[in-house]
Amino acid sequence: MTAHESPRAPSPIRAFAPLAGLLLAFSVGPAPAMAVQQRPTADACIECHLTLDEDRLSAPATMFETDIHAERGFGCLACHGARKNSDALDPSAGFLSKPSRREIPELCGSCHSDAAFMRDYDPSLRVDQVLEYRSSIHGQRLMEEDDADVATCVSCHPAHATRPPSDTESSVYPSRVAELCGSCHGDPEIMGRHDIGTEQLEDYKGSVHGKLMYEEEDLTAPTCNDCHGNHGAAPPGLASVANVCGECHSMMATLFSENGHADLFIEQDLPGCATCHANHAVEEVTDEALTLRSEEICGQCHEDDDPFGHEFVEMKRLVDSLKAQHAAGLTLLEEAENAGMEVGQALFELEGVNTALTKARTAVHSFRVDPVKEEVEAGLEIAEAARRRGIEALEEHRFRRVGLALSTAVIALLIVGLLLKIKDIEERATESLPP
Amino acid sequence: MTEQRHAGAMRRLWQWLDYRVGLSELLPLARKKRVPIHRHTFWYYMGGMLVFLFMLQVATGVLLLFYYRPSSEGAFESIQFLMAEVEFGWLIRSIHAWGANLMVFTAFVHMFSVYLLKAYRAPRELTWMTGAGLLFLAMGLGFTGYLLPWNELAFFATRVGTEIPAVIPGVGPFIREFLRGGDDVTGATLTRFYALHISVLPGLMILLVGLHVLLVQRHGMSVPPSVEAEGGGKTSISFFPNFVLRDLVGWLSALAILAAMAAFFPAELGEKADPFASAPIGIKPEWYFMFMFQSLKYFPARVLGVEGELVGVLAFGFMAAVLVLMPFLDRGGKDGRPDPFWNILAWGTLLYIIVLTYVGYTADSTL
């Protein structure tokens, strides 16, 4: 290895930057000319490391070929190398064989926190990851306690094998994130040292979000980092749960924040949305939960004779009434459709009931009956119109049958009349023939 | 007294018209025409039935035009509105749809009966050729009309149907683009199918029907050679009113059948066409194209170095040419009796059409 292989070395830290360039993973498109020029023409490190028997020394050389940094023109020396015109293996000249855990965030940040540098690769990429990391539980424990268990950059973005999150092979591809976090948070040995439970991964897999991610393969489904943050990972506090959920469920979060219970929940150590819906094990919400859970949860504060503690019972009755009317309308329209009647538009309009149902279920988060009632009544009007349309269509169907019978009778009479006329004409023609 | 006044008014109206139009000259002409009576007379009613069905199609088609909007944005919705909201809209559309099927079916029956009764013999060659042209026009009307509701099945069937002529070297791609009004089936295809369906094809049909009826009127009904050989076909009835009244019985029966079909099986609408959706499994053309559609599936990829589908298309083109030129190809047997080859060919073709149509509807469409 020679000093001229070092791509750039204006400062010792910057020389290592591309190893930590995990966030380059977000960038797309060809590398700028500068990066290409920096790439060593022959990477002697890789050539040599590939021949080494020890896996820890040969594996980085093997993996690095597909690393995003390699693709962007960065070689080994970009992170491990020394200053220009010095011995590449000389630690005093900046050579770094293996950065310590404490050094890693700063090493990565030397490039990824430099907006001017990153602009050459991906101007849209954020440059505050290190700052966020320092605020995270991981970062704080690393910096303050030198905790060997906490994650650093390379725990999630493996050194020498970093891929963009959009790459299906990436360790941070959305469908891999939960397993990635679970590799530590599901390990009883590691978590046992910090008195943290290990059920989160399994809870998530069984949750409505996990099912969306794994069964429906919906990559937009929330995973760990959507609620906890990624570089600034930390559990949301009691007061923040609704904000976190509200990122997606904004209507519910707004209604909850306005219903006067948000502060009361915090006072009672109740974790906002998670009080009813759980956190990692969020289940699919059913209307039955309105009464089953509310009795248990509301009963913690509301006495049995307190009418406000039982409003969910009325809400469920309203929602059930709308569902029943929807089913009645749908049954009639389907019966008419099966009879050959054109009720496509009516069926389309009936979909409005589902919209009203969704709105009513959302309004439940106001914890008041009136907003739910308002939405249900709007839906009932639509359902009633569909029901009437179904009845009309079936009446029309009966009318057609009667009409057909009458018109067939008229036509049959005409045919009989014609046949009699033909017979008459032909008989007269025969009679007029000469004998 | 009232009846006498009424009869007097009718007589005055007749005289008024007769003076200006010459009605009394037409009556002897109609009465003069005779229709032979023999064991195959039944088949003579097919022609009149086709005229009735065509008139019914024109009448119901005009009523449909009152509501139909020929655009990819409005076609489906306008038919949906017609079927659900317009008084008797369902009846008009259903009769139009079933009437179209019955018309093509009757045209096939008419063609096969005329063929088997050898009615195309001289001097009726042109009558036959105009009849063959009318059959093609009826099929063209069916093809263009199928797309007009702009539903999913019709959209994809039209995409497949308009792709088929593209295999013809040279003009094929032009034909496809001409039919589609672009590279693919779009709103532009709908508007040109609409134009063809409501003006060009019916216009041509009226002209050919006129010529066909004129020739039938001129040459009279043909007595089949088999009946002639037996010495039959000598007795006859007047075309007017005897035959016309019998025709009317047939027409009323057809109307009753169409009304029943409309009431029990109203024309379906399905889902609106979505050009960006993937084609549904089991796209099928109208039944009268099924035997050709199914045949093309059985052609190997290449036949003697030529693309199989092209061979299929050319084969059907050849069959159509044979059909049109039949009066000149069938010159009769040596002893003056009909050449059995042509009868065997007709029965073989009929069997082929029935079997392939059956297979087309029952075979696994994913194969």
Side-chain angles (χ1 to χ4, degrees), chain A residues 77-397:
Chain A
L77 300 184
C79 296
H80 297 282
R83 285 190 292 274
K84 209 170 182 178
N85 300 324
S86 61
D87 183 352
L89 293 174
D90 181 2
S92 66
F95 172 69
L96 187 65
S97 62
K98 183 180 179 185
S100 72
R101 291 172 55 79
R102 268 176 173 271
E103 285 172 317
I104 287 170
E106 297 306 319
L107 178 62
C108 300
S110 65
C111 283
H112 280 273
S113 299
D114 184 340
F117 179 74
M118 292 307 297
R119 198 181 300 127
D120 290 340
Y121 295 91
D122 186 349
S124 66
L125 204 60
R126 290 174 57 171
V127 289
D128 59 353
Q129 298 91 344
V130 176
L131 203 62
E132 276 199 319
Y133 180 73
R134 285 194 196 117
S135 74
S136 74
I137 299 292
H138 295 145
Q140 285 172 11
R141 294 186 70 86
L142 179 73
M143 300 304 170
E144 291 165 13
E145 300 172 29
D146 201 14
D147 188 337
D149 288 336
V150 297
T152 66
C153 309
V154 293
S155 308
C156 300
H157 308 278
H160 310 110
T162 301
R163 303 295 308 152
S166 57
D167 187 329
T168 53
E169 297 299 313
S170 171
S171 54
V172 288
Y173 188 66
S175 61
R176 288 210 174 87
V177 168
E179 294 283 355
L180 178 70
C181 299
S183 64
C184 290
H185 283 272
D187 185 332
E189 196 181 325
I190 300 174
M191 291 301 121
R193 290 197 284 269
H194 304 280
D195 201 21
I196 298 174
T198 54
E199 73 288 350
Q200 300 91 340
L201 179 60
E202 288 310 311
D203 280 354
Y204 172 74
K205 282 181 178 173
S207 75
V208 66
H209 297 142
K211 284 176 182 164
L212 265 180
M213 178 67 81
Y214 297 117
E215 291 172 18
E216 306 285 325
E217 296 181 354
D218 181 353
L219 297 181
T220 63
T223 184
C224 309
N225 62 305
D226 291 296
C227 298
H228 295 281
N230 39 24
H231 305 102
L238 288 180
S240 313
V241 171
N243 295 340
V244 170
C245 301
E247 282 294 301
C248 295
H249 304 280
S250 56
M251 288 298 293
M252 287 83 159
T254 305
L255 289 169
F256 178 70
S257 68
E258 291 171 353
N259 72 16
H261 280 71
D263 293 337
L264 294 173
F265 269 42
I266 295 167
E267 281 174 24
Q268 297 293 321
D269 279 345
L270 294 172
C273 311
T275 309
C276 295
H277 298 283
N279 47 10
H280 302 106
V282 180
E283 286 176 13
E284 190 168 355
V285 182
T286 60
D287 295 325
E288 281 62 41
L290 268 177
T291 43
L292 293 177
R293 284 199 198 148
S294 62
E295 280 177 20
E296 176 193 333
I297 295 166
C298 303
Q300 292 179 26
C301 296
H302 294 277
E303 300 293 334
D304 282 349
D305 56 352
D306 178 355
F308 292 109
H310 303 288
E311 286 196 318
F312 284 97
V313 176
E314 176 60 8
M315 288 181 204
K316 181 170 184 302
R317 192 195 64 75
L318 285 166
V319 169
D320 283 348
S321 70
L322 184 53
K323 284 198 296 187
Q325 284 303 306
H326 176 260
L330 187 64
T331 305
L332 279 170
L333 288 174
E334 282 179 344
E335 192 184 337
E337 191 177 41
N338 290 336
M341 304 301 294
E342 174 50 48
V343 288
Q345 185 61 30
L347 280 168
F348 175 76
E349 284 166 10
L350 188 65
E351 283 296 305
V353 177
N354 284 328
T355 308
L357 263 175
T358 304
K359 285 183 175 175
R361 286 165 178 152
T362 302
V364 162
H365 297 87
S366 68
F367 291 11
R368 290 189 297 118
V369 171
D370 285 349
V372 178
K373 195 174 179 183
E374 196 177 312
E375 302 298 349
V376 165
E377 281 174 352
L380 284 173
E381 264 183 49
I382 300 170
E384 176 55 22
R387 198 184 66 84
R388 277 200 307 271
R389 189 70 191 85
I391 291 170
E392 283 169 9
L394 288 170
E395 279 172 0
E396 167 77 11
H397 182 252

Side-chain angles (χ1 to χ4, degrees), chain A residues 32-49:
Chain A
M34 182 181 74
V36 175
Q37 286 163 4
Q38 288 166 348
R39 188 172 197 171
T41 49
D43 201 326
C45 317
I46 288 176
E47 264 181 43
C48 189
H49 272 258

